[in-house]
Amino acid sequence: MTELVKRQLELLNAREYRKLRHPPELDPDTVVQQWDKHTLEGEAARFAYACTCEKEAVFHGEDLFGFNRYCSGALPNKGRFGNVVIDYETVLAKGLCGILDDINARRATADEEAQCYYDAVETCYKACFGLVEMYKKAATVQGNTRLAQALAQVPRHGARSYYEALVMLRFLSYVLRINRCVHLPLGRFDLYMRPYYERSVAEGMTESEGLELTELFFIAMNFDSDLYIGIQKGDNGQSLVLGGCDREGNEVFGPLSEICLQASEELVLIDPKVNLRVNKSTPLPLYERGTRLTKQGLGFPQYSNDDIAIPFLISLGYDPADARNYAMAACWEFISSGNGADTPNKTTMLFPLVVERVTREALPTAKTFEEFLEAVGVALDRECDRLMEECNKHPATTPVPLLSSFISPTIEQGRDITRGGGKYHNYGLHGAGISTAADALAAIREGVFERKDFTARELLAALDADFVGYEDMRKTLLSYPKMGNNDDRADLLGCFLMDRYASYLNGKPNHIGGVFRAGTGSAMTYITSAAKIGATADGRRAGTPFASSYSPSPDARLKGPLSNIQSFTKFDLTRICNGGPFTIEIHDTVFRNDEGERKVAQLIKAYIDLGGHQIQINAINRDRLLDAQAHPENYPNLIVRVWGWSGYFTELDTVYQNHIIKRMEFTV
Amino acid sequence: MTGRIFSIEEFATFDGPGIRMTVFFKGCPLRCSWCHNPESQQMGVEYVRSPNGCLGCGRCLQAAKTAEDGTKHLTAASVEACPRFLVRRCGEDYSTDALCDRILANASILTSTGGGVTFSGGEPLLQAAFLFSCLEVLRGRVHTAIQTCGYADAETFAGVLERCDYVLYDLKLMSPDQHREFCHADNAKILQNYRTLAASGKPFVTRVPLIPGVTDTVENLTAMAAFVREQGVDYVELLPYNRMAGSKYAGLLRPFAPGFDENRPVELHTGIFEKYGIRAKKM
């Protein structure tokens, strides 16, 4: 790490610069009222207004990039599109003027809607150029000639060097977030940046200069990440993908990927959140490389398995080249890079809710477990119907011309991505609480039908009472087979639920020309929706959390990681790959030497080789987390993985903190 | 045949090559004052409380019993009493088949990482017949290792060498007096079995716990290096004392009185080994 990087990192971690921000802008929706909220020109005008609120260029320390927020106040995602990967390749090569040239070439033959779209894009770009001018002037005044020179080229024209390309990325992130399109990931950084990196290397940039630039860029991505939040701080969607194959199937991982990993390892910051694409042939050393980041406590890399994700995407109609070119959305949703207008997190199938309902309605009269299970299956179908109808009622309505213009082929189409622009328009559903639901079914089979430890009515009475007065029954329920212990009695019920859900949902058409996709993610619902669901037959108390995404229930006592990874690879995950990782916690003492590191890497590789789709690992020291709860002032930079992103532990709501602590409870 | 096991770990990272399952046998002939698995020492079933998440409500203590010697012990009733399920029974009897099935369920992953199963303890050789029966079932199906303090009859030790693939062998104190003082047993058998092991051609690793002021002295490590070298060994692993070691005693309602200053930093003294041409790696 160079002295310059050290100084910038110190400045960032001290967080003092945040105090210099100015009062937040007024909500553009209320200020700019002369257009309907859902028109292209209205949206462009709102963006132009938001740009005027950024009154001055802001540089932090010896900033090489600029494009930091002038205004304070977090920017919520007000229903605007996110979770898409923009076509960095094209934007970096053409620049905004290149896109305007494309627009002008199509004006003559464009229909009315296309003209409207093009007008809106032009309005947005004009506002962008105003900001660029402001930064260029300020950089010149401050003697920051490097940035001033770069801004004479980008973003108007294509980037010519690694540095210019990085400046372009900063610019894109800044303007899109001002436009309230949050949860915009960086996509396949080592793929689309490679030509610029190589060009700079050919022109004399050394590897250490490349590393320094990358580190400064990563730091710059963190300056305002507290303003771009989802449900919790840290949930800002600034993810980045490394490795995997390109559109033709060639391996991407190379020197630039290596530099990104090194930068992450040295900086220990929550952004960008690294995703590593792997497959059955990925050699162990790459996993070991990734594990060194995990050891830092970053909660990433998250690993995604090409062998599972690509066939899933192809099965849903993605072109094989696009499927191979997938990237992650904000957390873990598998989406096509550069041309997708998918909404991969449209809604959530809450498995425990369905099982709980059927338990009440059908269990008392069911003569056999099979009869009961079939009732669960039918209820899942109906719930899929209900969820799909719900999704179809609420397509994205607020247009996003600025964002759309960076997605292909919307310029050729002349359509905003909320109006049919882009190549894919699929809806993804999360699938939350799979393990809780499977455990509940296993408990019903064991307790009511096989061992007959109690009757259906007794069980329902206990659930109604939230186990108060039924503590013994709860202990019995908790002692039954649990998903995660490589026990078919629970695992195959999990498979049943996933099979039913995926078979019914996958490929069903939505109302915007796309299809539905089934996934295993929970997003925040493992806390927020679980809070509203009553006691479940696995012994879970009312309102308490499920597992995050695709993992054993927090109430399950587990045999260990080997049984665990076998349980969670029994189902053919190529059928349920909207996204949603298997998550394991490993005590940080395991990482105390290179041998422990290698074995963690072997465990991750084993999960991938068994057909796992996605895995994230938390290196945790429970005592440290408890101490951080008691003395947050001592741990401003303690990082943990939450449901699909890394955040600062002390900035999380207590309920999320406690969930992570609880997952460590059964380890002695 | 059955054996008494107090824990099975599925992702043991410091008990031999590759990813390993470690099966902890209950019962040990030694009583090392620094033992970090106090629940491993006695053959009898015990109940132990995990501190993580303990509310301090005291219900487990109300269900505890007092032994003839005046010591308090948690009981099966303590397991029932704990509202957070943090008291667990320590000591389960497994049949050879049940234990081997449990291991073999993970065999393909273990094997793919160059790992296997390690029988540890406690002292696995204290339940030699059961250990042998397991090793025979597992032979050729998964890599087997034993982690031993070496305190066993020559015949038993020869028996295990015939049946397992790998040995992790602990050497603690070279002085018989000190060994008796801190481990409550003589070390003659241990040194003799070590000679047998080194001569056997069986792959093994020597592990030395570094206990501050006890085993990490220049005197002890010099004697050990000379002894190890004499047997033709050129590599040892050093395991520095971890101050967390005493944490489990409270869970057994036992006092932790290690008899040395826990806070004194461990002396690594790798130079002593190097002088004898032995590579010493800190674990």
Side-chain angles (χ1 to χ4, degrees):
Chain A
M1 194 184 293
T2 63
E3 290 304 315
L4 172 59
V5 172
K6 265 185 212 158
R7 288 195 297 271
Q8 289 298 94
L9 183 60
E10 221 163 87
L11 181 96
L12 170 71
N13 281 334
R15 294 174 169 78
E16 290 296 316
Y17 69 92
R18 292 183 185 176
K19 293 179 186 157
L20 302 174
R21 290 176 187 143
H22 298 78
E25 76 235 42
L26 294 169
D27 186 345
D29 284 348
T30 57
V31 176
V32 185
Q33 287 178 326
Q34 61 265 49
W35 286 280
D36 180 272
K37 199 170 172 179
H38 301 312
T39 62
L40 284 156
E41 66 264 55
E43 179 58 18
R46 281 180 189 89
F47 172 65
Y49 166 75
C51 287
T52 64
C53 297
E54 295 287 305
K55 289 191 171 46
E56 284 170 28
V58 178
F59 297 99
H60 298 309
E62 299 149 87
D63 203 332
L64 274 185
F65 299 102
F67 298 116
N68 302 299
R69 288 294 307 287
Y70 172 85
C71 296
S72 61
L75 287 184
N77 177 0
K78 298 196 100 184
R80 281 169 181 78
F81 226 87
N83 279 301
V84 291
V85 177
I86 68 182
D87 186 353
Y88 291 104
E89 205 178 322
T90 301
V91 182
L92 284 169
K94 285 188 176 174
L96 270 52
C97 289
I99 297 171
L100 289 175
D101 290 345
D102 289 348
I103 286 177
N104 287 329
R106 292 184 180 270
R107 282 282 195 185
T109 55
D111 62 16
E112 196 184 332
E113 193 180 344
Q115 300 288 4
C116 269
Y117 173 55
Y118 295 150
D119 289 345
V121 174
E122 284 185 0
T123 305
C124 291
Y125 282 15
K126 211 172 136 194
C128 287
F129 293 149
L131 291 173
V132 173
E133 275 314 304
M134 179 175 86
Y135 267 93
K136 197 168 81 182
K137 260 189 210 152
T140 310
V141 169
Q142 295 198 354
N144 189 347
T145 47
R146 196 175 181 190
L147 180 60
Q149 280 169 8
L151 289 176
Q153 177 71 17
V154 291
R156 279 193 172 77
H157 310 289
R160 297 166 305 184
S161 66
Y162 186 52
Y163 173 61
E164 284 184 358
L166 291 172
V167 171
M168 179 87 105
L169 293 183
R170 270 312 301 150
F171 160 79
L172 289 170
S173 167
Y174 174 73
V175 292
L176 285 165
R177 284 177 170 82
I178 287 175
N179 196 28
R180 305 203 165 184
C181 294
V182 297
H183 281 151
L184 290 179
L186 273 174
R188 307 194 65 189
F189 185 89
D190 57 351
L191 178 62
Y192 63 76
M193 289 298 274
R194 189 167 60 189
Y196 303 98
Y197 178 77
E198 285 175 352
R199 189 164 159 188
S200 287
V201 168
E203 287 169 1
M205 182 177 74
T206 63
E207 196 177 295
S208 50
E209 284 166 342
L211 174 65
E212 184 184 52
L213 273 181
T214 308
E215 295 194 323
L216 292 171
F217 173 72
F218 281 10
I219 290 171
M221 287 186 68
N222 284 271
F223 276 126
D224 291 327
S225 64
D226 58 313
L227 298 181
Y228 309 134
I229 62 171
I231 301 296
Q232 292 282 298
K233 273 193 187 169
D235 174 22
N236 56 36
Q238 299 201 91
S239 67
L240 169 153
V241 179
L242 300 176
C245 62
D246 64 13
R247 295 174 65 85
E248 289 74 41
N250 307 306
E251 178 59 48
V252 168
F253 196 91
L256 181 56
S257 329
E258 197 49 71
I259 278 181
C260 290
L261 290 176
Q262 191 179 341
S264 269
E265 185 183 346
E266 291 183 0
L267 296 173
V268 195
L269 294 170
I270 58 170
D271 288 309
K273 304 162 209 307
V274 176
N275 289 273
L276 208 49
R277 277 180 49 172
V278 292
N279 61 59
K280 221 173 184 142
S281 316
T282 301
L284 187 63
L286 184 54
Y287 291 98
E288 292 182 80
R289 188 70 194 81
T291 303
R292 274 162 51 195
L293 269 64
T294 305
K295 178 188 182 176
Q296 295 284 6
L298 287 165
F300 57 72
Q302 171 175 259
Y303 299 83
S304 292
N305 189 350
D306 285 6
D307 296 333
I308 306 300
I310 294 170
F312 170 77
L313 292 170
I314 291 174
S315 77
L316 286 174
Y318 291 79
D319 278 351
D322 289 334
R324 285 194 285 265
N325 196 30
Y326 78 83
M328 317 322 298
C331 297
W332 21 247
E333 301 88 341
F334 296 89
I335 53 177
S336 171
S337 305
N339 57 13
D342 292 337
T343 305
N345 49 8
K346 194 72 181 168
T347 188
T348 304
M349 164 65 81
L350 292 166
F351 286 97
L353 184 71
V354 174
V355 170
E356 192 221 10
R357 201 164 58 212
V358 179
T359 303
R360 288 176 189 290
E361 288 165 6
L363 186 61
T365 54
K367 290 188 184 60
T368 63
F369 179 70
E370 287 64 35
E371 186 188 328
F372 170 69
L373 194 61
E374 182 49 30
V376 171
V378 171
L380 280 174
D381 297 348
R382 294 296 78 76
E383 182 67 2
C384 283
D385 286 335
R386 191 186 71 79
L387 291 171
M388 286 190 286
E389 201 184 314
E390 200 63 25
C391 294
N392 284 328
K393 260 193 237 160
H394 301 288
T397 46
T398 308
V400 282
L402 180 65
L403 172 60
S404 295
S405 72
F406 303 138
I407 307 267
S408 296
T410 66
I411 302 298
E412 288 85 330
Q413 293 164 320
R415 295 290 182 272
D416 187 275
I417 53 173
T418 61
R419 304 289 189 274
K423 193 167 171 184
Y424 302 106
H425 301 91
N426 304 319
Y427 285 160
L429 261 64
H430 296 321
I434 291 169
S435 53
T436 296
D439 294 350
L441 291 176
I444 288 167
R445 178 163 62 194
E446 295 286 316
V448 177
F449 292 99
E450 290 187 355
R451 300 188 201 179
K452 301 193 196 312
D453 288 333
F454 36 77
T455 66
R457 295 203 182 279
E458 284 165 345
L459 175 64
L460 288 178
L463 295 181
D464 285 339
D466 196 15
F467 303 114
V468 174
Y470 294 87
E471 279 77 15
D472 286 348
M473 191 198 286
R474 178 165 184 248
K475 279 191 179 164
T476 308
L477 292 168
L478 287 168
S479 73
Y480 290 147
K482 303 291 177 208
M483 193 170 171
N485 280 328
N486 195 13
D487 183 339
D488 282 351
R489 290 175 297 169
D491 296 346
L492 294 185
L493 291 168
C495 293
F496 167 84
L497 293 169
M498 287 186 274
D499 173 58
R500 194 83 186 209
Y501 160 62
S503 316
Y504 196 80
L505 190 78
N506 277 333
K508 286 257 188 333
N510 66 17
H511 284 189
I512 57 166
V515 296
F516 284 91
R517 337 185 321 175
T520 52
S522 66
M524 60 290 191
T525 60
Y526 70 108
I527 304 271
T528 53
S529 298
K532 296 172 214 150
I533 296 179
T536 39
D538 57 322
R540 172 189 150 277
R541 286 195 192 281
T544 58
F546 311 140
S548 168
S549 290
Y550 191 53
S551 310
S553 157
D555 295 297
R557 204 176 265 270
L558 298 176
K559 285 182 186 168
L562 303 184
S563 297
N564 199 353
I565 64 175
Q566 292 187 85
S567 277
F568 283 84
T569 49
K570 276 182 193 170
F571 189 69
D572 174 6
L573 291 162
T574 62
R575 298 175 52 211
I576 190 161
C577 207
N578 183 63
F582 175 67
T583 306
I584 49 170
E585 280 74 35
I586 294 179
H587 199 277
D588 66 355
T589 52
V590 167
F591 296 88
R592 70 175 182 259
N593 72 12
D594 54 352
E595 205 176 324
E597 271 170 56
R598 184 166 60 251
K599 289 173 187 183
V600 172
Q602 286 177 319
L603 182 71
I604 298 161
K605 183 168 163 49
Y607 173 75
I608 295 294
D609 291 353
L610 285 170
H613 56 348
Q614 210 167 25
I615 179 169
Q616 56 182 5
I617 305 102
N618 243 331
I620 298 227
N621 184 319
R622 187 175 179 278
D623 294 330
R624 193 180 312 140
L625 295 185
L626 288 171
D627 197 45
Q629 275 191 325
H631 307 285
E633 66 282 4
N634 297 338
Y635 297 90
N637 298 317
L638 175 63
I639 295 172
V640 289
R641 189 77 174 172
V642 193
W643 67 77
W645 43 273
S646 299
Y648 293 106
F649 182 75
T650 54
E651 293 182 354
L652 299 173
D653 283 349
T654 317
V655 59
Y656 293 94
Q657 292 182 344
N658 288 344
H659 192 268
I660 296 167
I661 290 169
K662 171 150 172 116
R663 293 193 298 224
M664 293 303 286
E665 219 155 71
F666 291 137
T667 64
V668 178
Chain B
M1 182 169 300
T2 65
R4 185 160 289 173
I5 305 302
F6 78 87
S7 179
I8 301 175
E9 218 178 273
E10 284 199 351
F11 184 60
T13 49
F14 297 101
D15 294 335
I19 293 180
R20 306 197 75 82
M21 279 180 84
T22 297
V23 179
F24 294 90
F25 280 49
K26 199 151 162 49
C28 186
L30 307 187
R31 290 288 181 274
C32 302
S33 75
W34 57 80
C35 183
H36 65 278
N37 280 333
E39 77 277 32
S40 75
Q41 294 172 345
Q42 294 172 15
M43 276 301 293
V45 170
E46 291 172 279
Y47 295 87
V48 61
R49 182 182 65 206
S50 161
N52 295 346
C54 176
L55 304 170
C57 69
R59 282 183 223 172
C60 59
L61 298 176
Q62 286 161 17
K65 64 162 196 237
T66 307
E68 280 174 19
D69 60 2
T71 54
K72 271 199 146 191
H73 302 271
L74 297 174
T75 62
S78 305
V79 176
E80 297 297 315
C82 178
R84 306 217 55 196
F85 316 114
L86 297 175
V87 179
R88 70 181 178 90
R89 182 187 153 110
C90 201
E92 294 296 334
D93 292 338
Y94 277 78
S95 70
T96 303
D97 285 345
L99 183 60
C100 290
D101 285 349
R102 172 85 203 271
I103 294 161
L104 290 168
N106 296 322
S108 66
I109 303 178
L110 296 170
T111 303
S112 74
T113 68
V117 61
T118 298
F119 295 101
S120 180
E123 173 50 58
L125 294 179
L126 208 53
Q127 302 181 55
F130 175 68
L131 175 66
F132 290 1
S133 72
C134 293
L135 290 172
E136 277 157 18
V137 171
L138 298 174
R139 178 176 281 169
R141 300 165 81 179
V142 67
H143 181 271
T144 57
I146 60 150
Q147 174 157 33
T148 177
C149 72
Y151 191 90
D153 295 338
E155 194 187 336
T156 304
F157 194 72
V160 78
L161 288 187
E162 273 169 32
R163 293 173 174 88
C164 75
D165 299 316
Y166 189 79
V167 178
L168 298 111
Y169 201 100
D170 289 357
L171 285 180
K172 299 175 180 96
L173 283 162
M174 297 306 289
S175 145
D177 288 343
Q178 280 195 321
H179 203 278
R180 274 190 293 271
E181 182 188 345
F182 283 98
C183 305
H184 295 260
D186 186 74
N187 64 0
K189 281 183 189 175
I190 294 171
L191 299 181
Q192 186 48 45
N193 284 332
Y194 188 79
R195 291 188 189 97
T196 306
L197 172 63
S200 70
K202 179 73 57 188
F204 72 101
V205 65
T206 310
R207 304 185 112 181
V208 184
L210 293 180
I211 311 301
V214 182
T215 68
D216 71 344
T217 62
V218 173
E219 199 187 358
N220 183 48
L221 295 179
T222 305
M224 191 180 287
F227 171 72
V228 164
R229 184 72 256 184
E230 238 174 68
Q231 316 311 321
V233 172
D234 60 4
Y235 173 68
V236 298
E237 291 180 349
L238 306 176
L239 287 75
Y241 180 73
N242 176 353
R243 264 185 294 159
M244 296 293 288
S247 64
K248 284 187 182 175
Y249 286 78
L252 284 164
L253 314 185
R254 277 193 224 162
F256 179 55
F260 55 88
D261 180 5
E262 271 200 287
N263 295 316
R264 214 192 93 175
V266 166
E267 302 280 351
L268 265 180
H269 288 314
T270 48
I272 294 176
F273 288 97
E274 278 158 20
K275 219 162 64 189
Y276 284 85
I278 299 164
R279 192 163 67 87
K281 183 181 176 187
K282 174 186 163 241
M283 295 301 282

